Amino acid sequence: MIIIKNGRVIDATGDRTADVIVDDAGAIAEVGADLATPAGATELDAAGCIVAPGFVDLHAHLRQPGREDAETIETGARGAALGGFTAIVAMPNTAPCMDSAAVIREVLDLGATAMCEVVPSAAITVGRDGEALSPMAELAGLGVRIFTDDGTGVQDDRLMKRALEYSVGLAPATGGAPVTLAQHCEVTSLSAGGCMHEGEWSSKLGIPGQPAEAEELMVQRDIALSRATGARVHFQHMSTGRSVQLIRDAKAEGLPVTAEATTHHFTLTDAECASYDPVFKVHPPLRTEADVQAVKRGLADGTIDAIATDHAPHTQSDKELPFDQAPPGMLGLESALGLALTELDLDIAQILALLSWNPARIAGIDDRHGGPIEPGRRANIAVLDPDHEWTITGEAMASRSANCPYEGKTVKGKVRHTVYEGELVVIDQEAQR
Ligand code: DOR
């Protein structure tokens, strides 16, 4: 048993000061003021802290199978737990790719002992090659609810339309639960060869750019295809002002679209690339200050539903390559909360909605994550100290990689304890296993 004492409990139903008791079966047993500590219970002090449903990351690259030198499911999940996440959606661009029942089963098996729930997504197309659909019904039968070719977008309009039509018909394989196609929006005929945002800075630096339109055209296409098919589309890592506006309009029209923004796309701009440091190389690229402001407005007004990390570990030897050759991507799981609390001018409940209950709903795991802190719910809980100041360092993170773009930055807000399925996986900022 665990008792979390004197915290400010915030969930989708509101805000109150209460103690929370978690039973040995991993469920929330009691929530109320001044509860007596049950005999033998571990007592956690949450004075000055917020007790919230655990966070859900819709976008994490865990590199297993295939690049265990950069990250494993175990190490990625440990970082996630330290960041307050109780569930993370694993991206399918592994080697081999997550496009078959065998690989999905492997990820599920490895995730079973991890420090948070590892929710596999699966590729839309075989090998993420954009040519033939993956066995979506079989994969949905294994529990997959998000399909994506992330790392690349589905280029072929007709194939994407087929995939969307097919996703609507998957209800028998899922027992009626909806399936969502998530898109990495990038038209490669426009982006090919580009290593950063195409604009003033790319011209100055002489680094080939990816134009904003490479993203926006695919956002526009998939909104049209969602309208035509009635299928759910989730837009991954939205990075430009026009993308945000397109999604705002699509939502106003009532289309079943959702969107995420990463922490780096609301905190960093393309000016960072002036260092020529590949730690700032990411796809989609860091954009302009105006785009950053537009993404922030999208997060504030509900156009963007979720904060995602796009946690993308890369080994030091890979990231030490010259800017044009280095792989894109940056770490995100352990810094997300601090960046959101420090950089977004939103109230805490709004930030928690973006980190917890909204993404839980999109991932289709809201039966066990992101729900209200109330008796009977699974105990997936983050206890965070919103006033704790700390300095971000890649080397101190649980990840096998250290490609963190916020080296030396001081932020306010850190996870203190994390409870996953009733297990105390993080106590006082320390991972317990
Ligand atoms: O920056 C990125 N890194 N963007 C992607 O689309 C893929 C990801 C990765 O896997 O490293």
Side-chain angles (χ1 to χ4, degrees):
M1 292 249 252
I2 303 166
I3 181 164
I4 305 168
K5 299 273 306 169
N6 301 318
R8 185 177 157 206
V9 176
I10 305 181
D11 58 25
T13 68
D15 186 340
R16 63 265 179 211
T17 297
D19 299 340
V20 178
I21 295 178
V22 173
D23 69 21
D24 289 333
I28 297 173
E30 220 179 327
V31 181
D34 300 319
L35 299 179
T37 301
T42 305
E43 194 170 305
L44 291 181
D45 173 31
C49 291
I50 290 160
V51 180
F55 308 156
V56 174
D57 186 11
L58 290 168
H59 200 136
H61 295 274
L62 301 178
R63 304 293 186 230
Q64 194 173 12
R67 284 304 304 265
E68 291 82 355
D69 53 336
E71 195 75 290
T72 65
I73 286 174
E74 184 193 346
T75 57
R78 183 172 295 119
L82 285 162
F85 293 91
T86 52
I88 52 180
V89 179
M91 290 296 107
N93 61 338
T94 48
C97 164
M98 288 155 65
D99 63 357
S100 69
V103 182
I104 295 295
R105 280 205 190 92
E106 182 184 350
V107 171
L108 284 169
D109 284 353
L110 289 163
T113 52
M115 289 171 70
C116 70
E117 183 170 343
V118 175
V119 180
S121 65
I124 297 172
T125 68
V126 175
R128 299 173 42 255
D129 284 346
E131 283 171 13
L133 293 186
S134 68
M136 288 171 66
E138 186 187 10
L139 302 176
L142 290 174
V144 174
R145 297 290 174 267
I146 292 189
F147 289 85
T148 174
D149 274 3
D150 183 59
T152 183
V154 178
Q155 304 297 311
D156 187 302
D157 307 336
R158 187 183 169 88
L159 187 66
M160 189 61 198
K161 188 171 180 211
R162 287 278 174 272
L164 288 166
E165 284 168 348
Y166 197 67
S167 73
V168 177
L170 285 175
T174 64
V179 161
T180 300
L181 297 203
Q183 190 74 281
H184 169 124
C185 290
E186 181 182 338
V187 174
T188 50
S189 62
L190 284 172
S191 67
C195 299
M196 66 175 289
H197 173 67
E198 183 176 282
E200 213 178 308
W201 274 107
S202 65
S203 307
K204 264 190 220 158
L205 300 171
I207 298 175
Q210 296 190 1
E213 294 76 23
E215 174 174 303
E216 293 153 2
L217 282 176
M218 197 171 282
V219 174
Q220 215 161 13
R221 179 200 70 178
D222 285 353
I223 287 171
L225 294 180
S226 171
R227 186 186 296 117
T229 59
R232 291 174 183 239
V233 178
H234 175 70
F235 291 98
Q236 297 176 302
H237 40 48
M238 287 292 92
S239 70
T240 86
R242 282 198 190 85
S243 293
V244 175
Q245 187 56 41
L246 286 163
I247 292 161
R248 188 175 284 123
D249 294 345
K251 286 190 162 185
E253 199 188 318
L255 298 179
V257 300
T258 53
E260 68 187 36
T262 68
T263 38
H264 45 274
H265 287 119
F266 66 75
T267 54
L268 301 172
T269 70
D270 56 347
E272 302 286 353
C273 300
S275 62
Y276 289 96
D277 185 340
V279 81
F280 297 108
K281 181 175 175 183
V282 65
H283 290 170
L286 302 175
R287 305 282 187 187
T288 67
E289 181 59 31
D291 292 312
V292 167
Q293 294 307 326
V295 168
K296 285 186 173 180
R297 282 195 297 278
L299 287 161
D301 72 8
T303 300
I304 297 174
D305 302 87
I307 294 170
T309 68
D310 199 356
H311 179 79
H314 290 290
T315 60
Q316 190 177 350
S317 54
D318 282 350
K319 268 297 197 187
E320 268 173 6
L321 292 166
F323 202 94
D324 58 330
Q325 292 163 39
M330 37 185 70
L331 301 187
L333 286 164
E334 290 186 57
S335 48
L337 175 73
L339 291 164
L341 287 174
T342 307
E343 301 286 337
L344 295 175
D345 193 17
L346 301 178
D347 61 49
I348 180 75
Q350 243 180 319
I351 288 175
L352 294 173
L354 291 161
L355 282 167
S356 177
W357 44 97
N358 292 351
R361 214 176 40 241
I362 294 166
I365 54 172
D366 46 337
D367 58 333
R368 53 197 189 276
H369 297 274
I373 305 278
E374 63 186 19
R377 297 271 178 181
R378 299 306 298 161
N380 291 312
I381 299 169
V383 179
L384 43 120
D385 181 347
D387 298 318
H388 183 86
E389 276 197 2
W390 61 289
T391 301
I392 301 177
T393 42
E395 283 300 336
M397 291 179 178
S399 177
R400 281 208 172 164
S401 299
N403 52 308
C404 166
Y406 300 104
E407 209 54 52
K409 182 177 168 71
T410 296
V411 290
K412 205 168 162 186
K414 200 168 201 306
V415 171
R416 189 158 163 208
H417 318 296
T418 307
V419 180
Y420 167 52
E421 287 291 301
E423 180 190 350
L424 260 169
V425 287
V426 175
I427 304 178
D428 280 325
Q429 305 180 16
E430 295 287 339
Q432 297 301 297
R433 57 184 172 92

